[in-house]
Amino acid sequence: MQDSRAAAPIAYFEEMQSAEVVNSRMGADIPPRLHQVMTSIVNHLHAAIKEIEPTHEEWLAAIQFLTSTGQMCNDWRQEYILLSDILGVSMLVDAINHRRPSGATPNTILGPFYVADAPHYEHGRSICLDGKGEPLVVKGQVLGVDGQPIPGAQIEVWQTNDDGFYDVQQQGIQPESNLRGIFTADDGGGYWFKSVKPRHYPIPDDGPVGKLLRAMGRHPNRASHLHFIVSAPGYETVITHIFAPDCQYLPDDTVFGVKKELIADFDKVEDLKQAQALGLSTPFWRVNWNFCLAPAKAAA
Ligand code: BEZ
Ligand code: FE
């Protein structure tokens, strides 16, 4: 990357040197990180424009797209984050900031449907309050990368209902806090809860980002998943998913959220005795899933 901090401003615009002209105007005393970021963005933006050579009409269409993306944003709809998600930028920023030791559960994006203050439940409780969907039991342990159980770890889960919507997308239709809950790991690091098998669903696609996806020949669907945040004092908090292995959208999840290590085995159980012992009907689905936390990084 070229550092133009000490360079004298280049007075007049030149097509060949366009990025250098712009970057040479930056003040000498601005914060170094801002200088680095703006230099890089100007360099890459000018390089892209030189490669694309847009017509005026194309450039105005791009501006109009950004304008309508901004106009779509409100307190709960963040169209710019959605844009970052479908371009793979959210997952890239997440990956850069969560490089973990081998064996640790990988991080993924949080998504827009996380809600703080979900209800705390005892183990074995069902988070499904609307009675729709195929029963699922999720059971496992929270461990350190050294394999030691982490008693008291907090496991927070949320997912869509069987119609493919989060409770917050259907207020007044779904029960409040449907399909979300917080569990606390027992003395052996264990947890378990009941839910329903997740299904694929489209991200909100009624705005400019949905239009862009369609224009690019892409679908809006997320592969079937449950979301988790797992935390414990002294460990790095993990924001993650587990994915159902039979979902058709695993290879092309629209926000690039799938990581190989996060695809779980969903076992279909037909055994009546096992179902009765859990208070379920047959068939039901069973997932055994351990979370593995990395030690917290020492404060800088
Ligand atoms: C989600 O999984 O909830 C989600 C993630 C990114 C964009 C939209 C939805
Ligand atoms: Fe989701």
Side-chain angles (χ1 to χ4, degrees):
M1 187 182 310
Q2 195 172 335
D3 185 357
S4 54
R5 299 204 85 185
I10 307 172
Y12 302 116
F13 190 83
E14 285 272 356
E15 180 182 337
M16 295 299 287
Q17 287 195 86
S18 63
E20 289 79 2
V21 174
V22 175
N23 283 330
S24 75
R25 297 272 175 94
M26 258 187 290
D29 300 328
I30 67 169
R33 180 68 168 162
L34 178 64
H35 190 276
Q36 180 199 4
V37 168
M38 288 315 300
T39 303
S40 175
I41 286 177
V42 168
N43 284 342
H44 286 278
L45 188 58
H46 281 238
I49 294 295
K50 284 173 183 175
E51 187 179 311
I52 298 164
E53 298 198 338
T55 63
H56 275 296
E57 290 73 22
E58 285 170 335
W59 183 239
L60 279 176
I63 298 290
Q64 184 51 50
F65 170 78
L66 293 174
T67 303
S68 45
T69 299
Q71 286 166 340
M72 196 77 195
C73 295
N74 57 38
D75 281 351
W76 91 270
R77 174 79 179 251
Q78 236 303 346
E79 197 75 358
Y80 275 114
I81 297 183
L82 219 49
L83 180 59
S84 153
D85 294 342
I86 65 118
L87 295 179
V89 177
S90 302
M91 279 296 285
L92 178 58
V93 173
D94 191 77
I96 288 166
N97 285 280
H98 297 101
R99 295 179 184 130
R100 299 211 165 112
S102 145
T105 301
N107 221 74
T108 55
I109 54 173
L110 181 68
F113 300 118
Y114 170 73
V115 179
D117 301 323
H120 287 258
Y121 290 137
E122 296 296 320
H123 293 153
R125 173 62 205 253
S126 178
I127 60 170
C128 177
L129 308 180
D130 67 2
K132 295 180 179 177
E134 301 171 48
L136 167 74
V137 174
V138 184
K139 189 175 189 305
Q141 273 179 298
V142 184
L143 306 166
V145 277
D146 54 4
Q148 290 302 306
I150 308 178
Q154 188 170 283
I155 303 109
E156 183 159 9
V157 57
W158 70 103
Q159 66 174 90
T160 57
N161 77 347
D162 201 48
D163 297 324
F165 294 102
Y166 288 90
D167 55 351
V168 286
Q169 293 176 286
Q170 290 194 315
Q171 287 173 20
I173 297 173
Q174 290 189 38
E176 206 176 311
S177 297
N178 192 27
L179 290 154
R180 25 184 113 238
I182 302 175
F183 297 85
T184 303
D186 64 22
D187 290 347
Y191 74 92
W192 76 281
F193 62 90
K194 293 180 204 163
S195 186
V196 287
K197 189 166 188 267
R199 44 156 290 168
H200 66 82
Y201 65 89
I203 64 167
D205 66 342
D206 55 343
V209 168
K211 214 166 149 187
L212 178 64
L213 278 174
R214 285 186 289 279
M216 290 193 295
R218 284 175 51 182
H219 65 73
N221 295 302
R222 291 232 54 207
S224 318
H225 60 270
L226 295 97
H227 293 264
F228 289 93
I229 299 178
V230 183
S231 58
Y235 293 88
E236 211 183 305
T237 296
V238 176
I239 300 174
T240 193
H241 292 55
I242 60 179
F243 292 91
D246 54 357
C247 179
Q248 69 193 101
Y249 294 112
L250 277 183
D252 58 354
D253 179 80
T254 199
V255 301
F256 305 92
V258 180
K259 292 184 176 177
K260 205 168 65 249
E261 307 93 300
L262 298 176
I263 303 172
D265 289 327
F266 277 58
D267 301 318
K268 196 173 194 176
V269 183
E270 313 266 5
D271 185 80
L272 196 60
K273 274 211 177 99
Q274 287 188 49
Q276 280 170 345
L278 291 163
L280 298 173
S281 51
T282 51
F284 70 93
W285 296 89
R286 186 174 50 207
V287 174
N288 288 322
W289 192 258
N290 292 343
F291 296 98
C292 199
L293 305 190
K297 292 190 180 96

